[in-house]
Amino acid sequence: KGSRLKKRKLAGGHKMEAEFRENVLAMTNQGKAQNTANISLHSLGQVVDPWYPLAPLPMSSWLSYEGWQQRLFNWRTMFTRFVRNTSTLGVIWKSVDGFSFHGFRQEVWATYKAVQEAAAAEDYNVLRQYTTPKFQADLKKVIRRRRDSGWARTLWETSTSDKNGADNTNIEQMLNIQYDPQNPEKSFIQITVTIRSKQKVRGCSASGQVVDGQDDAETDVEDVYVFERQVPDKGGKWLVCAQLRSPLDEVSNDTNH
């Protein structure tokens, strides 16, 4: 059952990517028909192939047919991701000046902190600098739900240092999406990362009373974010385009269904 679920999930990702390419190609052709051949997208507006973790397999899986099926599927998936990551990395090194893994992790952590602080302060001017329009709309929904539950103000803190924040940022998946067959060098890069940190999040009422969370309660948080960048774009930067569910949630959902 687990193998079938994972196969459907992977097939769904490939289908989503194919449908997305068709939709963007149609929009690009429409723009060219209207003499706007230099059409430029600021963001894809969606995660083309959402990353998910592969379910860990028990030792007993070596002794069953279903276990071998799942193991072979995991190996194929890891190989496919390796090929995609390698080809995308080649595009990044060619198109993004001065790219390095360490520098990227530092930028991810700095952006993550800025987004969390701006979301808590409801500072949309800052959010527009670090996120795509789609992600801004998602954050507005989160803020609206918080207000509906009595949060007049959100306090966000982290004790994780900048060095540890960058070190605890892992790159999970890299994907290059070409959306114009007439200009194959023009594309978007989407990189999925997991970010681990220690945080305090508290919701306060208009009078300043804490209505959710505790002053001394610091928790271990693992967020899965997708960063996006258009290439080639000499003056561009990586923007947050989506937040995915925690890998632990993904694994538990596969187990429960």
XYZ file of all heavy atoms in Angstrom, residues 101-186:
714
model
N 27.197 27.070 -1.796
C 26.242 26.462 -0.873
C 26.235 27.192 0.465
O 25.174 27.438 1.045
C 26.573 24.981 -0.668
C 26.255 24.122 -1.857
C 27.248 23.461 -2.545
C 24.945 23.985 -2.293
C 26.947 22.670 -3.642
C 24.633 23.194 -3.389
C 25.636 22.534 -4.065
N 27.408 27.545 0.953
C 27.472 28.242 2.232
C 26.798 29.608 2.149
O 26.020 29.987 3.029
C 28.932 28.399 2.673
C 29.086 29.099 3.992
N 28.636 28.559 5.179
C 29.621 30.315 4.307
C 28.895 29.388 6.174
N 29.495 30.454 5.668
N 27.090 30.346 1.080
C 26.464 31.652 0.908
C 24.957 31.548 0.755
O 24.208 32.384 1.276
N 24.507 30.510 0.036
C 23.064 30.319 -0.133
C 22.396 30.018 1.203
O 21.333 30.569 1.510
C 22.799 29.188 -1.124
C 21.343 28.839 -1.280
C 20.484 29.670 -1.981
C 20.828 27.682 -0.705
C 19.136 29.360 -2.115
C 19.490 27.356 -0.839
C 18.644 28.202 -1.535
N 23.004 29.155 2.018
C 22.422 28.834 3.325
C 22.366 30.072 4.218
O 21.389 30.271 4.949
C 23.230 27.728 3.995
C 23.087 26.360 3.337
C 23.755 25.283 4.174
N 23.596 23.972 3.578
C 24.523 23.378 2.827
N 25.671 24.005 2.586
N 24.321 22.177 2.316
N 23.377 30.896 4.145
C 23.362 32.135 4.924
C 22.228 33.047 4.464
O 21.530 33.653 5.291
C 24.708 32.859 4.798
C 25.853 32.207 5.547
C 27.153 32.969 5.386
O 27.489 33.436 4.295
N 27.891 33.120 6.479
N 22.050 33.153 3.153
C 20.975 33.991 2.612
C 19.606 33.436 2.994
O 18.691 34.193 3.333
C 21.108 34.092 1.090
C 20.061 35.009 0.454
C 20.266 35.185 -1.042
O 21.309 34.742 -1.570
O 19.373 35.779 -1.686
N 19.466 32.107 2.962
C 18.198 31.478 3.334
C 17.862 31.791 4.789
O 16.727 32.176 5.115
C 18.266 29.954 3.105
C 17.134 29.249 3.841
C 18.188 29.641 1.630
N 18.833 31.630 5.686
C 18.568 31.880 7.100
C 18.236 33.350 7.356
O 17.305 33.663 8.101
C 19.762 31.448 7.955
C 19.613 31.815 9.402
C 20.330 32.737 10.102
C 18.652 31.290 10.327
N 19.902 32.817 11.393
C 18.866 31.938 11.564
C 17.646 30.340 10.229
C 18.107 31.664 12.706
C 16.883 30.066 11.363
C 17.112 30.717 12.571
N 18.973 34.264 6.730
C 18.695 35.687 6.900
C 17.305 36.040 6.377
O 16.559 36.803 7.009
C 19.759 36.522 6.186
N 16.931 35.461 5.227
C 15.602 35.715 4.668
C 14.518 35.120 5.562
O 13.484 35.748 5.806
C 15.508 35.116 3.257
O 16.485 35.730 2.420
C 14.120 35.332 2.661
N 14.764 33.919 6.056
C 13.800 33.254 6.937
C 13.524 34.103 8.175
O 12.368 34.319 8.553
C 14.340 31.889 7.331
C 13.488 31.127 8.317
C 12.342 30.461 7.906
C 13.838 31.075 9.664
C 11.562 29.755 8.812
C 13.066 30.371 10.578
C 11.932 29.711 10.142
O 11.158 29.017 11.046
N 14.584 34.604 8.821
C 14.416 35.443 10.002
C 13.648 36.720 9.662
O 12.736 37.123 10.391
C 15.772 35.811 10.600
C 16.402 34.747 11.474
C 17.728 35.207 12.047
C 17.590 36.461 12.883
N 18.873 36.882 13.464
N 14.013 37.357 8.552
C 13.350 38.598 8.155
C 11.864 38.370 7.889
O 11.019 39.191 8.272
C 14.029 39.181 6.913
N 11.530 37.240 7.253
C 10.130 36.935 6.945
C 9.346 36.668 8.226
O 8.214 37.142 8.389
C 10.039 35.743 5.974
C 8.606 35.229 5.863
C 10.557 36.135 4.600
N 9.922 35.900 9.150
C 9.238 35.600 10.400
C 8.985 36.873 11.209
O 7.894 37.073 11.760
C 10.061 34.605 11.238
C 10.252 33.246 10.595
C 8.946 32.500 10.387
O 8.018 32.623 11.164
N 8.877 31.725 9.324
N 9.989 37.727 11.295
C 9.842 38.974 12.047
C 8.829 39.902 11.379
O 8.013 40.535 12.058
C 11.207 39.659 12.172
C 12.192 38.898 13.055
C 13.608 39.429 12.948
O 13.845 40.292 12.056
O 14.467 38.990 13.729
N 8.880 39.990 10.053
C 7.948 40.864 9.340
C 6.520 40.346 9.428
O 5.572 41.124 9.554
C 8.372 41.000 7.877
N 6.352 39.006 9.371
C 5.010 38.434 9.487
C 4.442 38.698 10.878
O 3.249 39.007 11.023
C 5.055 36.934 9.206
N 5.278 38.583 11.919
C 4.812 38.858 13.279
C 4.419 40.317 13.436
O 3.437 40.638 14.119
C 5.906 38.490 14.282
N 5.187 41.221 12.792
C 4.903 42.653 12.885
C 3.889 43.122 11.845
O 3.513 44.299 11.829
C 6.198 43.444 12.725
N 3.463 42.201 10.965
C 2.551 42.522 9.861
C 3.107 43.655 8.997
O 2.397 44.572 8.584
C 1.156 42.873 10.390
C 0.520 41.739 11.184
C -0.889 42.054 11.641
O -1.540 42.903 10.990
O -1.344 41.454 12.628
N 4.403 43.558 8.724
C 5.095 44.563 7.916
C 5.134 44.078 6.468
O 6.054 43.364 6.052
C 6.515 44.776 8.451
C 7.213 45.966 7.807
O 6.803 46.362 6.693
O 8.180 46.484 8.401
N 4.163 44.471 5.695
C 4.053 43.972 4.319
C 5.089 44.601 3.392
O 5.406 44.025 2.342
C 2.645 44.211 3.791
C 1.602 43.401 4.528
C 0.742 44.002 5.438
C 1.505 42.029 4.343
C -0.202 43.253 6.136
C 0.580 41.270 5.029
C -0.275 41.896 5.924
O -1.190 41.150 6.621
N 5.612 45.763 3.748
C 6.672 46.358 2.933
C 7.919 45.472 2.946
O 8.556 45.266 1.907
C 7.017 47.755 3.442
C 5.911 48.754 3.158
O 5.225 48.664 2.143
N 5.729 49.721 4.053
N 8.268 44.950 4.115
C 9.417 44.050 4.209
C 9.106 42.721 3.523
O 9.950 42.166 2.814
C 9.810 43.826 5.689
C 10.883 42.739 5.794
C 10.295 45.123 6.309
N 7.899 42.208 3.714
C 7.531 40.932 3.106
C 7.627 40.987 1.586
O 8.010 40.005 0.948
C 6.120 40.532 3.534
C 5.958 40.087 4.991
C 4.497 39.856 5.324
C 6.776 38.823 5.252
N 7.276 42.118 1.009
C 7.352 42.248 -0.449
C 8.797 42.161 -0.954
O 9.026 41.822 -2.111
C 6.709 43.562 -0.894
C 5.197 43.482 -1.025
C 4.630 44.710 -1.716
N 4.639 45.861 -0.830
C 3.626 46.189 -0.011
N 2.537 45.433 0.019
N 3.707 47.246 0.762
N 9.763 42.452 -0.098
C 11.165 42.390 -0.499
C 11.696 40.960 -0.512
O 12.663 40.660 -1.208
C 12.021 43.227 0.457
C 11.676 44.700 0.488
C 12.496 45.444 1.539
O 13.644 45.098 1.822
N 11.914 46.474 2.133
N 11.075 40.077 0.279
C 11.633 38.741 0.476
C 10.734 37.605 -0.008
O 11.174 36.452 0.008
C 11.930 38.514 1.966
C 13.036 39.383 2.512
C 12.746 40.521 3.255
C 14.372 39.061 2.279
C 13.762 41.314 3.768
C 15.396 39.845 2.780
C 15.079 40.980 3.529
O 16.092 41.767 4.031
N 9.514 37.897 -0.415
C 8.585 36.831 -0.770
C 7.870 37.142 -2.081
O 7.829 38.289 -2.529
C 7.523 36.624 0.334
O 6.711 37.819 0.431
C 8.172 36.352 1.679
N 7.297 36.111 -2.682
C 6.526 36.276 -3.910
C 5.096 36.707 -3.574
O 4.643 36.546 -2.436
C 6.476 34.951 -4.692
O 5.757 33.979 -3.904
C 7.870 34.438 -4.985
N 4.356 37.254 -4.528
C 2.967 37.665 -4.271
C 2.092 36.534 -3.741
O 1.251 36.749 -2.868
C 2.490 38.160 -5.639
C 3.738 38.627 -6.319
C 4.814 37.687 -5.869
N 2.283 35.319 -4.251
C 1.479 34.187 -3.786
C 1.749 33.895 -2.314
O 0.824 33.635 -1.536
C 1.812 32.953 -4.633
C 1.150 31.661 -4.172
C -0.365 31.719 -4.286
C -1.000 30.353 -4.119
N -0.691 29.737 -2.793
N 3.009 33.941 -1.908
C 3.331 33.666 -0.513
C 2.815 34.785 0.391
O 2.373 34.534 1.513
C 4.842 33.506 -0.335
C 5.234 33.011 1.027
C 5.037 31.693 1.374
C 5.793 33.866 1.960
C 5.389 31.218 2.633
C 6.153 33.411 3.212
C 5.949 32.087 3.550
N 2.852 36.020 -0.081
C 2.292 37.133 0.690
C 0.802 36.913 0.939
O 0.298 37.156 2.042
C 2.510 38.451 -0.051
C 3.971 38.861 -0.179
C 4.180 39.946 -1.209
O 3.309 40.790 -1.438
N 5.328 39.926 -1.873
N 0.091 36.449 -0.082
C -1.344 36.177 0.075
C -1.568 35.066 1.094
O -2.504 35.144 1.915
C -1.947 35.798 -1.267
N -0.719 34.033 1.081
C -0.843 32.950 2.063
C -0.607 33.468 3.478
O -1.307 33.068 4.414
C 0.142 31.831 1.736
C -0.195 31.116 0.434
O -1.351 31.214 -0.007
O 0.713 30.475 -0.140
N 0.391 34.334 3.642
C 0.681 34.885 4.964
C -0.476 35.741 5.478
O -0.787 35.725 6.672
C 1.958 35.723 4.920
C 3.280 34.974 5.045
C 4.449 35.959 4.996
C 3.335 34.171 6.337
N -1.111 36.479 4.591
C -2.251 37.298 5.005
C -3.368 36.423 5.566
O -4.049 36.810 6.530
C -2.763 38.128 3.821
C -1.850 39.285 3.439
C -2.417 40.083 2.277
C -1.496 41.243 1.903
N -2.021 42.027 0.753
N -3.571 35.256 4.984
C -4.587 34.336 5.503
C -4.217 33.847 6.896
O -5.078 33.735 7.780
C -4.748 33.153 4.548
C -5.301 33.516 3.179
C -5.365 32.293 2.280
C -5.855 32.657 0.884
N -5.868 31.470 -0.025
N -2.923 33.557 7.107
C -2.469 33.109 8.430
C -2.684 34.213 9.457
O -3.179 33.970 10.566
C -0.981 32.709 8.379
C -0.451 32.412 9.788
C -0.782 31.504 7.480
N -2.320 35.438 9.098
C -2.482 36.567 10.015
C -3.956 36.794 10.320
O -4.342 37.079 11.466
C -1.838 37.829 9.403
C -0.317 37.651 9.330
C -2.198 39.068 10.215
C 0.391 38.738 8.552
N -4.809 36.637 9.314
C -6.251 36.820 9.532
C -6.797 35.767 10.495
O -7.607 36.063 11.367
C -6.986 36.753 8.191
C -8.451 37.212 8.263
C -9.102 37.187 6.893
N -8.389 38.026 5.955
C -7.776 37.577 4.863
N -7.802 36.275 4.589
N -7.155 38.408 4.057
N -6.329 34.522 10.347
C -6.777 33.464 11.260
C -6.310 33.735 12.687
O -7.046 33.482 13.648
C -6.259 32.106 10.781
C -6.970 31.564 9.561
C -6.716 30.072 9.391
N -5.314 29.766 9.214
C -4.721 29.683 8.018
N -5.438 29.883 6.913
N -3.442 29.389 7.914
N -5.095 34.249 12.832
C -4.603 34.583 14.164
C -5.466 35.668 14.802
O -5.805 35.595 15.987
C -3.142 35.053 14.089
C -2.144 33.937 13.801
C -0.741 34.495 13.671
N 0.255 33.427 13.519
C 1.547 33.661 13.321
N 2.002 34.902 13.246
N 2.385 32.644 13.201
N -5.800 36.668 14.025
C -6.631 37.751 14.570
C -8.024 37.240 14.941
O -8.597 37.655 15.960
C -6.728 38.897 13.559
C -5.436 39.693 13.437
C -5.651 41.001 12.688
N -4.492 41.865 12.776
C -4.230 42.691 13.779
N -5.079 42.748 14.806
N -3.169 43.460 13.783
N -8.561 36.360 14.134
C -9.878 35.795 14.440
C -9.860 34.985 15.726
O -10.891 34.834 16.397
C -10.358 34.917 13.276
C -10.689 35.729 12.027
O -10.874 36.953 12.156
O -10.743 35.139 10.937
N -8.704 34.430 16.083
C -8.592 33.639 17.310
C -8.153 34.468 18.505
O -7.848 33.911 19.562
C -7.606 32.483 17.103
O -6.311 32.978 16.804
N -8.113 35.801 18.343
C -7.818 36.675 19.474
C -6.414 37.220 19.537
O -6.056 37.896 20.507
N -5.603 36.951 18.511
C -4.249 37.487 18.504
C -4.265 38.911 17.945
O -4.477 39.122 16.756
C -3.325 36.646 17.631
C -3.038 35.266 18.123
C -3.854 34.457 18.850
C -1.841 34.527 17.899
N -3.262 33.259 19.099
C -2.003 33.263 18.538
C -0.641 34.787 17.241
C -1.030 32.281 18.519
C 0.337 33.809 17.214
C 0.145 32.579 17.851
N -4.034 39.899 18.806
C -3.904 41.275 18.331
C -2.466 41.573 17.928
O -2.193 42.459 17.119
C -4.343 42.254 19.410
N -1.541 40.801 18.509
C -0.121 40.998 18.228
C 0.605 39.663 18.353
O 0.251 38.831 19.189
C 0.465 42.005 19.220
C 1.888 42.465 18.912
C 2.176 43.778 19.652
N 2.021 43.620 21.082
C 3.039 43.490 21.942
N 4.273 43.476 21.487
N 2.823 43.378 23.235
N 1.607 39.464 17.503
C 2.398 38.228 17.533
C 3.833 38.559 17.911
O 4.433 39.495 17.373
C 2.383 37.534 16.154
O 1.040 37.256 15.771
C 3.171 36.230 16.202
N 4.361 37.790 18.865
C 5.758 37.941 19.263
C 6.530 36.716 18.772
O 6.149 35.582 19.061
C 5.881 38.066 20.785
C 5.120 39.235 21.431
C 5.290 39.205 22.938
C 5.610 40.567 20.864
N 7.599 36.963 18.031
C 8.419 35.873 17.505
C 9.864 36.101 17.886
O 10.403 37.199 17.703
C 8.306 35.792 15.981
C 9.088 34.660 15.377
C 8.666 33.371 15.203
C 10.442 34.706 14.891
N 9.671 32.611 14.639
C 10.770 33.395 14.454
C 11.404 35.709 14.815
C 12.011 33.085 13.906
C 12.657 35.394 14.280
C 12.942 34.101 13.827
N 10.510 35.078 18.441
C 11.917 35.158 18.822
C 12.606 33.847 18.472
O 11.965 32.795 18.414
C 12.083 35.394 20.330
C 11.435 36.645 20.861
C 11.571 36.709 22.374
O 12.710 36.614 22.886
O 10.535 36.859 23.058
N 13.914 33.933 18.276
C 14.719 32.728 18.096
C 16.034 32.899 18.828
O 16.626 33.999 18.818
C 14.989 32.428 16.606
O 15.805 31.250 16.507
C 15.696 33.585 15.913
N 16.467 31.849 19.499
C 17.765 31.875 20.166
C 18.852 31.269 19.292
O 20.015 31.197 19.690
C 17.686 31.102 21.494
O 17.409 29.730 21.258
N 18.473 30.831 18.098
C 19.433 30.230 17.177
C 20.316 31.315 16.563
O 19.802 32.298 16.017
C 18.711 29.456 16.061
O 17.861 28.460 16.651
C 19.710 28.791 15.131
N 21.613 31.149 16.672
C 22.537 32.133 16.111
C 22.521 32.062 14.587
O 22.065 31.082 13.993
C 23.955 31.890 16.629
O 24.456 30.655 16.141
N 23.057 33.120 13.964
C 23.100 33.138 12.503
C 23.957 31.995 11.966
O 23.629 31.381 10.944
C 23.648 34.480 12.010
C 22.658 35.613 12.231
O 21.466 35.311 12.438
O 23.068 36.787 12.204
N 25.062 31.677 12.667
C 25.920 30.586 12.217
C 25.191 29.247 12.305
O 25.180 28.464 11.357
C 27.200 30.532 13.047
C 28.153 29.411 12.621
C 29.393 29.364 13.473
C 30.375 28.297 12.968
N 29.760 26.961 12.851
N 24.549 28.998 13.453
C 23.837 27.734 13.610
C 22.628 27.657 12.683
O 22.277 26.582 12.194
C 23.391 27.552 15.056
C 24.556 27.260 15.984
O 25.598 26.792 15.545
N 24.382 27.557 17.263
N 21.971 28.789 12.454
C 20.830 28.802 11.547
C 21.222 28.401 10.142
O 20.533 27.609 9.488
N 22.354 28.929 9.658
C 22.841 28.555 8.327
C 23.296 27.095 8.302
O 23.033 26.365 7.344
C 23.980 29.479 7.911
N 23.973 26.672 9.374
C 24.461 25.286 9.427
C 23.316 24.284 9.494
O 23.457 23.140 9.041
C 25.380 25.094 10.636
C 26.706 25.839 10.481
O 27.034 26.228 9.342
O 27.397 26.049 11.499
N 22.180 24.691 10.083
C 21.029 23.794 10.232
C 20.035 23.922 9.084
O 18.893 23.495 9.191
C 20.318 24.060 11.558
C 21.158 23.642 12.752
O 21.984 22.746 12.651
N 20.952 24.302 13.878
N 20.471 24.543 7.989
C 19.651 24.649 6.783
C 20.128 23.611 5.772
O 21.289 23.620 5.368
C 19.766 26.061 6.175
O 19.245 27.029 7.101
C 18.981 26.152 4.871
N 19.241 22.712 5.388
C 19.582 21.637 4.449
C 18.867 21.828 3.119
O 17.664 22.129 3.090
C 19.211 20.275 5.024
C 20.048 19.906 6.227
O 21.201 20.298 6.338
N 19.465 19.153 7.143
N 19.593 21.633 2.039
C 18.997 21.681 0.703
C 18.450 20.301 0.384
O 19.182 19.313 0.382
C 20.038 22.109 -0.346
C 20.545 23.515 -0.047
C 19.431 22.044 -1.748
C 21.684 23.962 -0.947
N 17.147 20.228 0.112
C 16.491 18.940 -0.142
C 16.284 18.668 -1.626
O 16.367 17.529 -2.071
C 15.134 18.900 0.573
C 15.184 19.194 2.070
C 15.924 18.130 2.858
O 16.309 17.100 2.277
O 16.134 18.334 4.061
N 15.990 19.722 -2.386
C 15.660 19.508 -3.806
C 15.908 20.787 -4.584
O 15.630 21.891 -4.097
C 14.196 19.088 -3.933
C 13.695 18.950 -5.361
C 12.284 18.400 -5.416
O 12.073 17.199 -5.348
N 11.302 19.276 -5.541
N 16.428 20.627 -5.812
C 16.617 21.756 -6.721
C 15.960 21.405 -8.047
O 16.110 20.286 -8.539
C 18.102 22.049 -6.921
C 18.820 22.510 -5.662
S 20.551 22.997 -5.939
C 21.303 21.391 -6.211
N 15.245 22.370 -8.602
C 14.508 22.104 -9.843
C 14.604 23.310 -10.770
O 14.371 24.449 -10.353
C 13.038 21.804 -9.526
C 12.144 21.411 -10.707
C 12.629 20.115 -11.336
C 10.694 21.264 -10.243
N 14.947 23.049 -12.021
C 15.010 24.078 -13.055
C 13.784 23.949 -13.946
O 13.539 22.887 -14.522
C 16.288 23.921 -13.882
C 16.380 24.933 -15.002
O 16.098 26.107 -14.809
N 16.798 24.490 -16.174
N 12.977 25.009 -14.057
C 11.743 24.973 -14.845
C 11.868 25.928 -16.025
O 11.904 27.152 -15.845
C 10.510 25.358 -13.993
C 10.408 24.471 -12.757
C 9.242 25.265 -14.825
C 10.846 25.146 -11.487
N 11.979 25.386 -17.221
C 12.029 26.193 -18.441
C 10.606 26.409 -18.930
O 9.872 25.448 -19.145
C 12.863 25.495 -19.506
C 14.325 25.309 -19.127
C 15.090 24.495 -20.144
O 14.526 23.626 -20.803
N 16.378 24.766 -20.279
N 10.226 27.656 -19.097
C 8.834 27.939 -19.458
C 8.673 28.508 -20.866
O 7.547 28.743 -21.315
C 8.209 28.906 -18.446
C 8.899 30.251 -18.324
C 8.525 31.321 -19.122
C 9.914 30.438 -17.409
C 9.138 32.544 -19.012
C 10.538 31.658 -17.274
C 10.156 32.712 -18.083
O 10.793 33.927 -17.967
N 9.774 28.744 -21.588
C 9.677 29.286 -22.940
C 10.581 28.476 -23.870
O 11.801 28.641 -23.856
C 10.088 30.761 -22.953
C 9.862 31.399 -24.325
O 9.454 30.679 -25.258
O 10.090 32.620 -24.461
N 9.994 27.582 -24.693
C 10.816 26.757 -25.591
C 11.641 27.587 -26.569
O 12.674 27.128 -27.046
C 9.783 25.900 -26.335
C 8.563 25.922 -25.472
C 8.562 27.258 -24.806
N 11.193 28.810 -26.877
C 11.923 29.664 -27.800
C 13.158 30.289 -27.149
O 14.021 30.827 -27.828
C 11.001 30.774 -28.333
C 9.729 30.267 -28.995
C 10.016 29.357 -30.176
O 10.959 29.596 -30.931
N 9.216 28.322 -30.339
N 13.212 30.250 -25.821
C 14.335 30.832 -25.094
C 14.721 29.892 -23.959
O 14.402 30.132 -22.795
C 13.962 32.216 -24.546
C 15.167 32.962 -24.004
O 16.271 32.433 -23.964
N 14.954 34.190 -23.573
N 15.389 28.771 -24.272
C 15.658 27.733 -23.263
C 16.540 28.187 -22.120
O 16.582 27.534 -21.075
C 16.336 26.624 -24.088
C 16.883 27.314 -25.286
C 15.936 28.428 -25.586
N 17.284 29.292 -22.283
C 18.143 29.765 -21.195
C 17.352 30.532 -20.141
O 17.878 30.837 -19.074
C 19.259 30.649 -21.752
C 20.263 29.889 -22.620
C 21.442 30.739 -23.009
O 21.431 31.942 -22.663
O 22.369 30.215 -23.646
N 16.104 30.826 -20.433
C 15.270 31.578 -19.501
C 14.436 30.602 -18.683
O 13.664 29.813 -19.235
C 14.348 32.522 -20.286
C 13.858 33.723 -19.514
C 13.166 34.696 -20.453
C 12.764 35.963 -19.730
N 12.108 36.924 -20.643
